[in-house]
Amino acid sequence: MTKLRVGAVSRNYFNMPLWAAQHRGFFAREGLEVELHLIEGIDEVTRRLAAGELDIDLGVTENVILERERGGRLAIVAGNVNRLPFSLIARAGIGSIPELRGARIGVSSIQAGSSSLVMELLARHGLRYPDDYTLLPVGPILARWRMLQSGEIDAGLQGAPMNRIAIEQGYSDLGSPRALFPDFQFTSVNVDMAWASAHRETVVAFLRAYIEAHRWLRANKEASRAIAAAEADLSAEHADFAWDEMVEAEIFPPDARASVAAVQALIDVSALIRALPGRAKLSAESYIDPRFVDEAERSLA
């Protein structure tokens, strides 16, 4: 068996393709012993990948772009969250986005991830960062949910099914950024290209299992509940809601590929918000290397 260190962010439903590949034996069938590291900080996931402490990550795509802008070697080899599964959830009493003036809003990171989306969403309602509200880098979905419940933040983006859980508990739904950005590569499967080039067969084997996991998820809504319960502690009702959102709505890409349109949307939005006009001249294709998933798909056929 080939040992593979794979990093991902927290215990949220975004990781279901990895969990399905483990539970259903797709990794084992490829001769892979996957050691899954669930890490709370999205920046830490990328740091470990770039430092060689992980072999592959399921991480925030914008961090790949930031790392490449610094001269790094990271690249996107497959998709994960190709559309946005988020709702902007606020504490009870806040009924609209303009009412977030002066609010503390939790984001996964100031440099990447949910912060670009929050900035653009609030800018559409006349609120500018940092004059009109505070962004707090508090970590991913579960951390934001805990801090919203404790009152440490006033609002934050929540992904499926935590957005549904929050609404059921009386929190306010201020809308989804998906209406503004139908395609947005939030997370992806990423590698250090020097490592991936030296371990091509391992990367292709991983992606074969990853593709099969997506195919299995699409065909097995009911069976996926047990995996969601075991790995993300979700009830059957909330697991089904997450499946509907992530699988049926094709937030998880059916072919497991990264989306050129979605990566380009990320580049365009983050370039605008972060005043990085040079980034807007870059093309999504320069960050995506489809050769590994192409080979994986051919070998499955």
Side-chain angles (χ1 to χ4, degrees), residues 102-120:
R104 301 156 300 169
I105 301 176
V107 295
S108 51
S109 164
I110 298 294
Q111 294 301 314
S114 55
S115 56
S116 289
L117 297 170
V118 168
M119 290 180 200
E120 178 63 10

Side-chain angles (χ1 to χ4, degrees), residues 114-181:
S114 55
S115 56
S116 289
L117 297 170
V118 168
M119 290 180 200
E120 178 63 10
L121 194 59
L122 270 63
R124 300 289 177 109
H125 293 266
L127 300 182
R128 305 293 173 182
Y129 176 76
D131 296 334
D132 296 323
Y133 57 91
T134 301
L135 289 181
L136 297 177
V138 302
I141 289 169
L142 294 180
R144 292 200 292 274
W145 174 231
R146 288 192 296 269
M147 294 184 74
L148 185 61
Q149 290 177 296
S150 69
E152 295 170 81
I153 60 174
D154 300 303
L157 290 174
Q158 285 298 328
M162 300 309 299
N163 50 357
R164 168 63 67 87
I165 292 170
I167 293 165
E168 290 173 351
Q169 294 187 18
Y171 291 86
S172 299
D173 180 2
L174 303 185
S176 168
R178 200 191 317 170
L180 297 177
F181 315 112

Side-chain angles (χ1 to χ4, degrees), residues 42-225:
I42 67 167
D43 297 337
E44 178 64 10
V45 174
T46 306
R47 185 201 68 76
R48 292 190 195 185
L49 181 66
E53 297 170 22
L54 297 171
D55 302 314
I56 295 173
D57 84 15
L58 205 64
V60 172
T61 306
E62 190 172 0
N63 271 345
V64 174
I65 295 171
L66 289 166
E67 198 267 349
R68 285 280 290 279
E69 287 174 349
R70 294 190 289 264
R73 303 177 304 204
L74 299 189
I76 303 160
V77 294
N80 178 226
V81 175
N82 289 28
R83 295 175 177 170
L84 294 169
F86 298 111
S87 302
L88 181 58
I89 300 295
R91 60 177 171 79
I94 296 177
S96 67
I97 288 178
E99 292 176 44
L100 290 173
R101 187 177 300 275
R104 301 156 300 169
I105 301 176
V107 295
S108 51
S109 164
I110 298 294
Q111 294 301 314
S114 55
S115 56
S116 289
L117 297 170
V118 168
M119 290 180 200
E120 178 63 10
L121 194 59
L122 270 63
R124 300 289 177 109
H125 293 266
L127 300 182
R128 305 293 173 182
Y129 176 76
D131 296 334
D132 296 323
Y133 57 91
T134 301
L135 289 181
L136 297 177
V138 302
I141 289 169
L142 294 180
R144 292 200 292 274
W145 174 231
R146 288 192 296 269
M147 294 184 74
L148 185 61
Q149 290 177 296
S150 69
E152 295 170 81
I153 60 174
D154 300 303
L157 290 174
Q158 285 298 328
M162 300 309 299
N163 50 357
R164 168 63 67 87
I165 292 170
I167 293 165
E168 290 173 351
Q169 294 187 18
Y171 291 86
S172 299
D173 180 2
L174 303 185
S176 168
R178 200 191 317 170
L180 297 177
F181 315 112
D183 296 293
F184 194 99
Q185 194 76 51
F186 190 72
T187 54
S188 48
V189 178
N190 311 309
V191 296
D192 180 301
M193 281 304 297
W195 179 88
S197 298
H199 299 84
R200 181 186 59 80
E201 291 184 3
T202 299
V203 176
V204 171
F206 173 87
L207 291 175
R208 273 197 299 267
Y210 190 68
I211 292 169
E212 288 200 275
H214 281 74
R215 293 175 178 175
W216 182 87
L217 280 171
R218 291 192 66 77
N220 292 277
K221 177 178 180 177
E222 292 185 6
S224 70
R225 289 176 192 154

Side-chain angles (χ1 to χ4, degrees), residues 205-287:
F206 173 87
L207 291 175
R208 273 197 299 267
Y210 190 68
I211 292 169
E212 288 200 275
H214 281 74
R215 293 175 178 175
W216 182 87
L217 280 171
R218 291 192 66 77
N220 292 277
K221 177 178 180 177
E222 292 185 6
S224 70
R225 289 176 192 154
I227 298 174
E231 299 291 353
D233 194 25
L234 295 180
S235 68
E237 178 186 358
H238 292 139
D240 283 354
F241 174 81
W243 189 97
D244 290 341
E245 183 83 346
M246 303 296 292
V247 178
E248 192 169 63
E250 297 189 355
I251 290 170
F252 287 152
D255 58 4
R257 290 176 176 268
S259 163
V260 172
V263 174
Q264 194 63 54
L266 165 62
I267 292 168
D268 294 344
V269 170
S270 58
L272 174 67
I273 288 298
R274 301 181 192 288
L276 296 169
R279 183 186 294 185
K281 299 175 184 177
L282 301 173
S283 68
E285 289 90 345
S286 64
Y287 297 102

